[in-house]
Amino acid sequence: MHRLGLQRRPLVGLLSHRTRLAGAWRQSSITASSDGTILNDSTAPPDDESNLDATTRERGTFFVGFVLPARYGKWDIRALLFHRDPENVAARVKDLLSSTSTHGFRVLDVEPTPKDGGLFVHFGFNPEQGISPPKAFDQIEETLKSDLDKKGGIPGWFGHGRTTVHRVKGKPWNEDLNIFPSNILRIEFEGPDVHQEVLYDVLRPYGRITSITKPTPVPVGTLRFVTVTFSRIRSAILARNCLHGVGLADNTLSHAGTTGAPTKTRLSFTYDTPIQAHAVRNWLTSHPRIVLPIVAFLLGSLTYTVFDPIRSFFIKSKIMGWFDCQEWRIVKFMQRNVFGKVTFTTQRDKPASIAATSGEASETNSPVDGSRARSASSIAASTGEWRERQEAVQALFSYLAESPSTVAVVHGPQGSGKSKLLAEVIANTGSLSPYQDGAPRKVIEIDCAKIFSAPSDSATVASLAKQTGYWPVFSFLSSMGNLIDLAAVGLIGQKAGFTTTVDAQMKEILEVVGGTLKRLSADTLKDNQKKQLKRVSSPPDEKPADSPSTPEPKVEPTATDEKKDSSILDAVASSSASIVSSGVSAVSSSVSAVSSSVVGAKDDVQGFLTKAAAGILGEKQQHGPEEDIWTRDRTSASSPHLVDETINALPLVIIRNFEVKSAGKREDLLSVLADWVATLVEHRVAHVVVVSDNRENMRRLAKSLPTRPLLSIPLGDADTASALSFVRGKITAVGTQPSTLTVEDEMWVERLGGRASDLDTLIHKVRNGSSVKDAVQDIIVRGVAELRKTAFGDEVDDAKDLPWKPEQVWSVLKQLSQHDEISYAEVLLEFPFKGDEVALRGMEHAELITITTQDGLPVSIKPGKPVYRYVFQRLVNDRIFHAVQDIAYNNKVIAAEEATIRKCEEELTTLRGIGLDLGSSFLGGSGATGARAGYLLAKMRASQEKVEAKERAVKKLKRILTSPEGKP
């Protein structure tokens, strides 16, 4: 308020002073300039002569600029930052000028102009005898400037620089309108127009002029004007305060027909505000090469500095389950101690039919009735099937117990139990920790099927962001970037780089996720070490408050896999025998005698998982951890289990449904995920498990990890005994069929095999009233229709787009209809493949066949599903379709053999040309050319015999097609 008061005092004094001296100084005389263009006004007697006496007959005014901070706008705060009292400044200027006494010079008043940052110095003088007032005025001005130069000039408002006095040739006008100084002056003509040259000569002494506009026509009653633009605002301030109200005489503008009669024009000066309404916008649009990169840089900086930490927090919260109410301690406490004890009915109290209909299953009361009555051979078969799963469990635990060096790929057909197996293994990963109450691994899951099923690009990015917890997501920026790039092409001829593809957006999300996983691993390791130190320091009878009473890890598989996988694994668990571990250090000795009871089968599965993890950990601690750069940096002599705990602190990344067929036209997104997974493994950020239905999908991962072999963990279908138990239990639960299947029903169920999708279809049909035989036959018939469409195509154009030829797939189907499996090498080397491995890979990818491997190498070929063998048989037994395909196949064979014959004939012609008789040696024999000719003739004979045989077969097949009954 004090500062504001100091600013108001000069203004109040200024207004009162202006009122007092209005008549005196407004009518001051105007001295004629040497060029004769500035005319003198008549001197009128002053209205107030209180400050005048006999020694001051003449009056004049000087303008002293830039001694105060000028206001260039309404919100100009320089006057507040560099506060200078106008009264003090006026007093100092008056003292500096009062030392001059030329022609009776006397300072009468000093009038501050706060808006222009200057002072009007009103003075009086009395010219000496014989000296005219204009000449005396000039002498006073010269004397003042000389004296000021000797004194160093008048200090400027900023403390640097000096200013001087300027002669006011017009009438001083000190106003406080909201018209602030600018470098543009609007000069109105009160009289005839002034020529541009005359105007330039008058204004140029105050500073450089950049432009002068010509007067334009105006409405009647409005003064014509010109606009003068100075290069600096200081020049415009001086010109406005020194020339406002001046009268000019332009000799070039005389009346028509007269000479030497100049016309007088009064000039009125006002500041003209520059047209800046669109100045910033115009500059931005006119400099896109500068603006667009700067905007991109600012947006990127804003993202990395502000939003990325927020996104990292939400990713970590999703992994840790901070916002999942089911993981909160209070909720778990209420479920365990309140809701868990209030039970109105139990599964055991319900009838079997109601329990099965509601989809509920009890751990102790399995719905698979009749499993106890199975034969010993069925139990043995189930045990053999479980051994394969034991190997998969052991491989997963071994992978998780070591530093990540590659990617584990769990592949198998739908319903083979991949999700259930992963859930069980993840739930028991806490036993890998060297501490007793180790928590399960932190898991983040990405389901590729949800990403690729998104309807648009923005939905694809949003799906990935939702699964990883990446938030906030500005999807609208992508559309804005496209629009900006389109505009940039029109402006600068090229894109500005604002367009962001889906690949780039996914890479950005995955990069943030990878950084979060790296920090999460370090934070988890620190927390575990702190908890361990707290446990060690606490008394034995006390339990740390932060230690959970009962570890309750919860890793849920996806809804799709849960339906398919849980049925088969429950059947396997219900039919499996109790597994007794014979030792903790060796996992291979954990399978023991087979028990006839299946009540504790699920507990045995949990026991095996725990023992497998304990065995791997014991073996690792016995032989010592493998040291590398990553573990060596974190190892200390005081922590013997630090390496194992460091590995156990690593998060686990699960990529589900990593399949090319689900990607469709977005296969490039699989490459983005594969590259990200390879980066996680190479930098040892996390363990990565990829779940796929097909072994062929491993090739895309192998491209991202060219120097490291992938860990393949195959899973197959359930065995026949488990499938029978599953079907028997489901049918019994419904109550529409007898609990025991007949021998014929079991035979038909065995044709379906252990594929969960086919078993579910069978159960659905039986529940709707169909018999087992009719349901299986319907599944086979429907499979025949699907196979003809998938393998051969509905139309000719569809067949051209298939990665295999019709004769290739027909050859494989015929062989698989007769044998359970065929040799991979024999099929690959014989006609019609002739080394074409791409066709076999395409069939495997389409799930027509399954290629089994041994030590990573393909060994044999099996049907894609167990029921496919009978589908193949049904298709081959169709005489019309068989005849059509055999005719096409035989024609291909005939064409290939005839091509061989033609090549042999051409080579024999060449041999004849060089002379067969010259090929004999002096020791006897036919020589090289004769031997070659004999070989070609034998090859031609074999090919000719094949051609003749195939042609006879084609004739016989054609008779089948023409016969009304389809008989030859």
Side-chain angles (χ1 to χ4, degrees), residues 124-152:
F125 66 96
N126 189 12
E128 296 179 359
Q129 188 174 3
I131 299 178
S132 62
K135 187 175 182 180
F137 202 118
D138 294 339
Q139 292 178 357
I140 291 174
E141 183 178 5
E142 293 178 0
T143 304
L144 283 175
K145 291 182 178 180
S146 176
D147 293 343
L148 290 175
D149 289 340
K150 293 178 182 179
K151 298 177 181 179

mmCIF file of all heavy atoms in Angstrom, residues 124-152:
data_model
loop_
_atom_site.group_PDB
_atom_site.id
_atom_site.type_symbol
_atom_site.label_atom_id
_atom_site.label_comp_id
_atom_site.label_asym_id
_atom_site.label_seq_id
_atom_site.Cartn_x
_atom_site.Cartn_y
_atom_site.Cartn_z
ATOM 1 N N GLY A 124 11.046 29.377 -18.508
ATOM 2 C CA GLY A 124 10.898 30.725 -19.035
ATOM 3 C C GLY A 124 12.264 31.349 -19.277
ATOM 4 O O GLY A 124 13.245 30.998 -18.622
ATOM 5 N N PHE A 125 12.322 32.253 -20.230
ATOM 6 C CA PHE A 125 13.609 32.915 -20.528
ATOM 7 C C PHE A 125 13.316 34.306 -21.065
ATOM 8 O O PHE A 125 12.209 34.601 -21.529
ATOM 9 C CB PHE A 125 14.426 32.089 -21.524
ATOM 10 C CG PHE A 125 13.811 31.996 -22.891
ATOM 11 C CD1 PHE A 125 14.205 32.860 -23.922
ATOM 12 C CD2 PHE A 125 12.825 31.055 -23.168
ATOM 13 C CE1 PHE A 125 13.621 32.770 -25.161
ATOM 14 C CE2 PHE A 125 12.264 30.954 -24.405
ATOM 15 C CZ PHE A 125 12.657 31.813 -25.424
ATOM 16 N N ASN A 126 14.318 35.153 -20.996
ATOM 17 C CA ASN A 126 14.221 36.551 -21.466
ATOM 18 C C ASN A 126 15.379 36.801 -22.417
ATOM 19 O O ASN A 126 16.524 36.944 -21.994
ATOM 20 C CB ASN A 126 14.287 37.498 -20.268
ATOM 21 C CG ASN A 126 13.983 38.925 -20.666
ATOM 22 O OD1 ASN A 126 13.517 39.191 -21.773
ATOM 23 N ND2 ASN A 126 14.238 39.848 -19.756
ATOM 24 N N PRO A 127 15.109 36.753 -23.745
ATOM 25 C CA PRO A 127 16.213 36.923 -24.715
ATOM 26 C C PRO A 127 16.922 38.263 -24.506
ATOM 27 O O PRO A 127 16.313 39.281 -24.141
ATOM 28 C CB PRO A 127 15.501 36.873 -26.072
ATOM 29 C CG PRO A 127 14.201 36.201 -25.803
ATOM 30 C CD PRO A 127 13.817 36.597 -24.412
ATOM 31 N N GLU A 128 18.204 38.240 -24.686
ATOM 32 C CA GLU A 128 18.984 39.467 -24.575
ATOM 33 C C GLU A 128 18.636 40.402 -25.730
ATOM 34 O O GLU A 128 18.101 39.978 -26.758
ATOM 35 C CB GLU A 128 20.482 39.126 -24.584
ATOM 36 C CG GLU A 128 20.902 38.297 -23.378
ATOM 37 C CD GLU A 128 22.384 37.960 -23.429
ATOM 38 O OE1 GLU A 128 23.037 38.374 -24.408
ATOM 39 O OE2 GLU A 128 22.863 37.272 -22.504
ATOM 40 N N GLN A 129 19.010 41.628 -25.545
ATOM 41 C CA GLN A 129 18.661 42.632 -26.534
ATOM 42 C C GLN A 129 19.383 42.336 -27.841
ATOM 43 O O GLN A 129 20.571 42.043 -27.871
ATOM 44 C CB GLN A 129 19.053 44.028 -26.017
ATOM 45 C CG GLN A 129 18.538 45.142 -26.898
ATOM 46 C CD GLN A 129 18.805 46.520 -26.299
ATOM 47 O OE1 GLN A 129 19.429 46.622 -25.249
ATOM 48 N NE2 GLN A 129 18.319 47.553 -26.960
ATOM 49 N N GLY A 130 18.608 42.386 -28.904
ATOM 50 C CA GLY A 130 19.167 42.136 -30.231
ATOM 51 C C GLY A 130 19.127 40.683 -30.648
ATOM 52 O O GLY A 130 19.570 40.353 -31.761
ATOM 53 N N ILE A 131 18.631 39.795 -29.806
ATOM 54 C CA ILE A 131 18.554 38.357 -30.127
ATOM 55 C C ILE A 131 17.093 37.964 -30.151
ATOM 56 O O ILE A 131 16.355 38.225 -29.188
ATOM 57 C CB ILE A 131 19.332 37.519 -29.102
ATOM 58 C CG1 ILE A 131 20.811 37.900 -29.109
ATOM 59 C CG2 ILE A 131 19.176 36.026 -29.417
ATOM 60 C CD1 ILE A 131 21.631 37.153 -28.083
ATOM 61 N N SER A 132 16.724 37.340 -31.240
ATOM 62 C CA SER A 132 15.331 36.940 -31.390
ATOM 63 C C SER A 132 15.043 35.737 -30.484
ATOM 64 O O SER A 132 15.939 34.975 -30.124
ATOM 65 C CB SER A 132 15.033 36.569 -32.847
ATOM 66 O OG SER A 132 15.821 35.458 -33.239
ATOM 67 N N PRO A 133 13.767 35.556 -30.109
ATOM 68 C CA PRO A 133 13.414 34.409 -29.249
ATOM 69 C C PRO A 133 13.794 33.046 -29.855
ATOM 70 O O PRO A 133 14.290 32.193 -29.123
ATOM 71 C CB PRO A 133 11.912 34.571 -29.063
ATOM 72 C CG PRO A 133 11.665 36.025 -29.213
ATOM 73 C CD PRO A 133 12.625 36.502 -30.262
ATOM 74 N N PRO A 134 13.577 32.824 -31.160
ATOM 75 C CA PRO A 134 13.988 31.510 -31.678
ATOM 76 C C PRO A 134 15.479 31.268 -31.549
ATOM 77 O O PRO A 134 15.918 30.156 -31.209
ATOM 78 C CB PRO A 134 13.542 31.536 -33.136
ATOM 79 C CG PRO A 134 12.419 32.523 -33.169
ATOM 80 C CD PRO A 134 12.806 33.572 -32.176
ATOM 81 N N LYS A 135 16.254 32.302 -31.813
ATOM 82 C CA LYS A 135 17.702 32.130 -31.706
ATOM 83 C C LYS A 135 18.109 31.917 -30.247
ATOM 84 O O LYS A 135 18.990 31.104 -29.934
ATOM 85 C CB LYS A 135 18.402 33.338 -32.295
ATOM 86 C CG LYS A 135 19.912 33.167 -32.377
ATOM 87 C CD LYS A 135 20.546 34.348 -33.092
ATOM 88 C CE LYS A 135 22.068 34.141 -33.207
ATOM 89 N NZ LYS A 135 22.716 35.293 -33.902
ATOM 90 N N ALA A 136 17.469 32.671 -29.363
ATOM 91 C CA ALA A 136 17.753 32.473 -27.943
ATOM 92 C C ALA A 136 17.375 31.056 -27.506
ATOM 93 O O ALA A 136 18.072 30.416 -26.696
ATOM 94 C CB ALA A 136 17.008 33.517 -27.113
ATOM 95 N N PHE A 137 16.267 30.535 -28.039
ATOM 96 C CA PHE A 137 15.848 29.158 -27.728
ATOM 97 C C PHE A 137 16.920 28.175 -28.154
ATOM 98 O O PHE A 137 17.280 27.239 -27.406
ATOM 99 C CB PHE A 137 14.527 28.865 -28.453
ATOM 100 C CG PHE A 137 13.738 27.755 -27.831
ATOM 101 C CD1 PHE A 137 12.472 27.983 -27.318
ATOM 102 C CD2 PHE A 137 14.261 26.457 -27.768
ATOM 103 C CE1 PHE A 137 11.750 26.963 -26.749
ATOM 104 C CE2 PHE A 137 13.528 25.446 -27.200
ATOM 105 C CZ PHE A 137 12.275 25.677 -26.685
ATOM 106 N N ASP A 138 17.494 28.388 -29.358
ATOM 107 C CA ASP A 138 18.535 27.479 -29.838
ATOM 108 C C ASP A 138 19.773 27.549 -28.958
ATOM 109 O O ASP A 138 20.396 26.515 -28.652
ATOM 110 C CB ASP A 138 18.903 27.826 -31.282
ATOM 111 C CG ASP A 138 17.744 27.567 -32.253
ATOM 112 O OD1 ASP A 138 16.851 26.760 -31.880
ATOM 113 O OD2 ASP A 138 17.729 28.153 -33.344
ATOM 114 N N GLN A 139 20.138 28.727 -28.546
ATOM 115 C CA GLN A 139 21.320 28.868 -27.696
ATOM 116 C C GLN A 139 21.105 28.203 -26.334
ATOM 117 O O GLN A 139 22.016 27.577 -25.782
ATOM 118 C CB GLN A 139 21.659 30.350 -27.536
ATOM 119 C CG GLN A 139 22.139 31.015 -28.814
ATOM 120 C CD GLN A 139 22.422 32.504 -28.631
ATOM 121 O OE1 GLN A 139 22.210 33.056 -27.540
ATOM 122 N NE2 GLN A 139 22.876 33.151 -29.698
ATOM 123 N N ILE A 140 19.896 28.361 -25.814
ATOM 124 C CA ILE A 140 19.612 27.720 -24.516
ATOM 125 C C ILE A 140 19.712 26.200 -24.651
ATOM 126 O O ILE A 140 20.277 25.506 -23.789
ATOM 127 C CB ILE A 140 18.219 28.142 -24.023
ATOM 128 C CG1 ILE A 140 18.203 29.622 -23.629
ATOM 129 C CG2 ILE A 140 17.801 27.290 -22.820
ATOM 130 C CD1 ILE A 140 16.842 30.157 -23.274
ATOM 131 N N GLU A 141 19.208 25.656 -25.758
ATOM 132 C CA GLU A 141 19.248 24.200 -25.959
ATOM 133 C C GLU A 141 20.682 23.712 -26.070
ATOM 134 O O GLU A 141 21.063 22.694 -25.468
ATOM 135 C CB GLU A 141 18.456 23.825 -27.204
ATOM 136 C CG GLU A 141 18.379 22.321 -27.459
ATOM 137 C CD GLU A 141 17.536 22.011 -28.675
ATOM 138 O OE1 GLU A 141 17.092 22.955 -29.374
ATOM 139 O OE2 GLU A 141 17.313 20.791 -28.938
ATOM 140 N N GLU A 142 21.510 24.442 -26.810
ATOM 141 C CA GLU A 142 22.907 24.042 -26.957
ATOM 142 C C GLU A 142 23.634 24.117 -25.624
ATOM 143 O O GLU A 142 24.441 23.249 -25.277
ATOM 144 C CB GLU A 142 23.588 24.930 -27.992
ATOM 145 C CG GLU A 142 23.058 24.735 -29.411
ATOM 146 C CD GLU A 142 23.728 25.685 -30.395
ATOM 147 O OE1 GLU A 142 24.598 26.471 -29.941
ATOM 148 O OE2 GLU A 142 23.366 25.662 -31.589
ATOM 149 N N THR A 143 23.364 25.181 -24.874
ATOM 150 C CA THR A 143 24.043 25.332 -23.586
ATOM 151 C C THR A 143 23.644 24.219 -22.621
ATOM 152 O O THR A 143 24.479 23.654 -21.904
ATOM 153 C CB THR A 143 23.708 26.706 -22.983
ATOM 154 O OG1 THR A 143 24.051 27.735 -23.903
ATOM 155 C CG2 THR A 143 24.478 26.905 -21.689
ATOM 156 N N LEU A 144 22.329 23.891 -22.594
ATOM 157 C CA LEU A 144 21.878 22.833 -21.692
ATOM 158 C C LEU A 144 22.521 21.489 -22.049
ATOM 159 O O LEU A 144 22.980 20.744 -21.173
ATOM 160 C CB LEU A 144 20.358 22.710 -21.747
ATOM 161 C CG LEU A 144 19.558 23.770 -20.980
ATOM 162 C CD1 LEU A 144 18.068 23.585 -21.222
ATOM 163 C CD2 LEU A 144 19.856 23.708 -19.490
ATOM 164 N N LYS A 145 22.555 21.135 -23.315
ATOM 165 C CA LYS A 145 23.135 19.865 -23.718
ATOM 166 C C LYS A 145 24.625 19.818 -23.407
ATOM 167 O O LYS A 145 25.159 18.777 -22.988
ATOM 168 C CB LYS A 145 22.894 19.615 -25.200
ATOM 169 C CG LYS A 145 21.437 19.340 -25.552
ATOM 170 C CD LYS A 145 21.258 19.058 -27.044
ATOM 171 C CE LYS A 145 19.798 18.744 -27.345
ATOM 172 N NZ LYS A 145 19.576 18.468 -28.785
ATOM 173 N N SER A 146 25.307 20.968 -23.589
ATOM 174 C CA SER A 146 26.743 21.014 -23.279
ATOM 175 C C SER A 146 26.976 20.830 -21.782
ATOM 176 O O SER A 146 27.868 20.077 -21.360
ATOM 177 C CB SER A 146 27.337 22.330 -23.765
ATOM 178 O OG SER A 146 28.696 22.426 -23.403
ATOM 179 N N ASP A 147 26.177 21.512 -20.957
ATOM 180 C CA ASP A 147 26.344 21.377 -19.519
ATOM 181 C C ASP A 147 26.013 19.944 -19.046
ATOM 182 O O ASP A 147 26.690 19.396 -18.159
ATOM 183 C CB ASP A 147 25.442 22.372 -18.790
ATOM 184 C CG ASP A 147 25.866 23.812 -19.041
ATOM 185 O OD1 ASP A 147 27.022 24.004 -19.492
ATOM 186 O OD2 ASP A 147 25.049 24.707 -18.810
ATOM 187 N N LEU A 148 24.990 19.350 -19.660
ATOM 188 C CA LEU A 148 24.636 17.991 -19.256
ATOM 189 C C LEU A 148 25.710 16.989 -19.667
ATOM 190 O O LEU A 148 25.980 16.026 -18.933
ATOM 191 C CB LEU A 148 23.281 17.591 -19.866
ATOM 192 C CG LEU A 148 22.052 18.310 -19.296
ATOM 193 C CD1 LEU A 148 20.799 17.911 -20.066
ATOM 194 C CD2 LEU A 148 21.885 17.985 -17.815
ATOM 195 N N ASP A 149 26.329 17.238 -20.819
ATOM 196 C CA ASP A 149 27.399 16.331 -21.226
ATOM 197 C C ASP A 149 28.569 16.413 -20.262
ATOM 198 O O ASP A 149 29.216 15.390 -19.953
ATOM 199 C CB ASP A 149 27.873 16.689 -22.640
ATOM 200 C CG ASP A 149 26.830 16.332 -23.693
ATOM 201 O OD1 ASP A 149 25.965 15.495 -23.378
ATOM 202 O OD2 ASP A 149 26.873 16.887 -24.810
ATOM 203 N N LYS A 150 28.859 17.602 -19.779
ATOM 204 C CA LYS A 150 29.944 17.736 -18.815
ATOM 205 C C LYS A 150 29.608 17.026 -17.501
ATOM 206 O O LYS A 150 30.504 16.525 -16.823
ATOM 207 C CB LYS A 150 30.211 19.222 -18.548
ATOM 208 C CG LYS A 150 30.773 19.970 -19.758
ATOM 209 C CD LYS A 150 30.976 21.449 -19.433
ATOM 210 C CE LYS A 150 31.489 22.227 -20.659
ATOM 211 N NZ LYS A 150 31.660 23.661 -20.356
ATOM 212 N N LYS A 151 28.345 17.017 -17.153
ATOM 213 C CA LYS A 151 27.917 16.362 -15.913
ATOM 214 C C LYS A 151 27.626 14.870 -16.091
ATOM 215 O O LYS A 151 27.209 14.211 -15.142
ATOM 216 C CB LYS A 151 26.673 17.057 -15.353
ATOM 217 C CG LYS A 151 26.911 18.517 -14.987
ATOM 218 C CD LYS A 151 25.629 19.151 -14.504
ATOM 219 C CE LYS A 151 25.831 20.619 -14.157
ATOM 220 N NZ LYS A 151 24.592 21.267 -13.703
ATOM 221 N N GLY A 152 27.820 14.365 -17.293
ATOM 222 C CA GLY A 152 27.562 12.946 -17.542
ATOM 223 C C GLY A 152 26.155 12.642 -17.977
ATOM 224 O O GLY A 152 25.762 11.478 -18.067
#
